[in-house]
Amino acid sequence: MLLSPKYRFLFVHIAKTGGTSVRAALEGLRWRDPWYWSMFLCSRLSHLSGHRIATKLPRHAKAIAAQEMLPKEVFDGLFKFAFVRNPWDLQVSSFHHIRRERPQYLGGHTEFEPFLRWKLDPERPYQYHVDTSIELQSDYLIDLHGAVIVDFIGRYERLHEDFALACERIGIPALALPHARKATDRSKDYRGYYTDATAELVARHFAADIALLGYRFEPD
């Protein structure tokens, strides 16, 4: 999550949706924000306290966390945005990320299909500890009543175009997106990783995302 009081925006960072590139592009704005150093100091104090004083919103905090922690007039005055990704594609990206950078979290499953079945098994304990992509993307965008509380939902599939729209809404020139964490270990389209059964497994687990965001296994 990235908050800018000066430019009055809140970026809700959902993992594996291009958010690292978005954060990198927006990072330069922080140096121009007169609130930056006080926010930096509070962040350091939060770190030293073990984050017990609640002055830092986590990198992948949900929008509702900011809604609860910020004064209503401040939260309502922010341009709040996030990026989302096709759930089937996101799971393939997550698998390669874990296999490349955190292989100890594979649970002994080095191929996509057995890993996915193990990861989404409701009987498996400590599910969150695999990675955040097991969570619903829609949960990052809604309040306790299920209402969407962000102003703009961009798509990973049109990241550059939608980020330019977000910059326009913020009121800044369109910023270039760096290719942060660009994947190099995927050799085929995400659909090639799935059988009918595993595609349906993702459809069931992420049904709320599919309903809210309109994604399909076969894109239009």
Side-chain angles (χ1 to χ4, degrees):
M1 184 170 284
L2 189 64
L3 169 66
S4 174
K6 177 180 178 179
Y7 293 94
R8 299 177 67 184
F9 71 78
L10 180 73
F11 171 55
V12 180
H13 184 175
I14 302 173
K16 309 306 297 176
T17 63
T20 300
S21 292
V22 171
R23 289 179 66 95
L26 295 172
E27 194 70 27
L29 299 180
R30 302 179 74 186
W31 297 98
R32 308 176 211 169
D33 195 326
W35 287 95
Y36 172 76
W37 293 108
S38 57
M39 292 170 70
F40 175 79
L41 178 60
C42 288
S43 173
R44 296 308 302 164
L45 288 173
S46 178
H47 176 75
L48 292 172
S49 73
H51 302 295
R52 289 190 294 270
I53 58 176
T55 59
K56 182 181 181 181
L57 292 167
R59 181 183 183 90
H60 296 300
K62 297 175 174 65
I64 193 172
Q67 185 185 50
E68 293 293 320
M69 294 180 68
L70 294 171
K72 184 179 186 305
E73 64 275 13
V74 174
F75 182 81
D76 290 346
L78 296 170
F79 168 59
K80 301 167 284 290
F81 69 105
F83 283 86
V84 296
R85 186 172 186 172
N86 182 301
W88 292 275
D89 185 36
L90 189 149
Q91 294 309 311
V92 174
S93 176
S94 171
F95 166 70
H96 282 291
H97 172 78
I98 294 171
R99 191 168 69 172
R100 182 177 62 250
E101 300 188 18
R102 302 178 180 180
Q104 68 273 22
Y105 292 156
L106 288 172
H109 306 284
T110 58
E111 298 300 323
F112 176 71
E113 181 172 346
F115 172 72
L116 182 70
R117 291 184 178 279
W118 172 76
K119 174 182 176 179
L120 298 184
D121 182 354
E123 300 300 320
R124 182 180 59 78
Y126 308 116
Q127 292 215 12
Y128 177 82
H129 295 285
V130 176
D131 71 330
T132 58
S133 71
I134 199 168
E135 297 187 307
L136 294 173
Q137 296 177 75
S138 51
D139 282 351
Y140 285 79
L141 312 173
I142 61 176
D143 64 14
L144 293 176
H145 304 288
V148 174
I149 56 174
V150 298
D151 304 302
F152 178 71
I153 301 173
R155 305 276 172 155
Y156 176 85
E157 295 77 20
R158 51 175 190 258
L159 181 62
H160 290 269
E161 297 89 340
D162 282 357
F163 182 60
L165 291 175
C167 289
E168 183 179 342
R169 294 282 298 273
I170 293 169
I172 58 175
L175 300 172
L177 281 172
H179 294 287
R181 299 188 179 183
K182 187 176 181 180
T184 59
D185 46 9
R186 288 180 58 173
S187 58
K188 56 185 176 181
D189 181 89
Y190 72 84
R191 288 166 292 184
Y193 287 81
Y194 287 92
T195 63
D196 290 346
T198 53
E200 178 59 27
L201 183 64
V202 170
R204 289 197 304 270
H205 188 90
F206 298 100
D209 286 354
I210 294 164
L212 178 67
L213 304 173
Y215 279 112
R216 298 171 55 191
F217 182 69
E218 295 285 350
D220 295 328

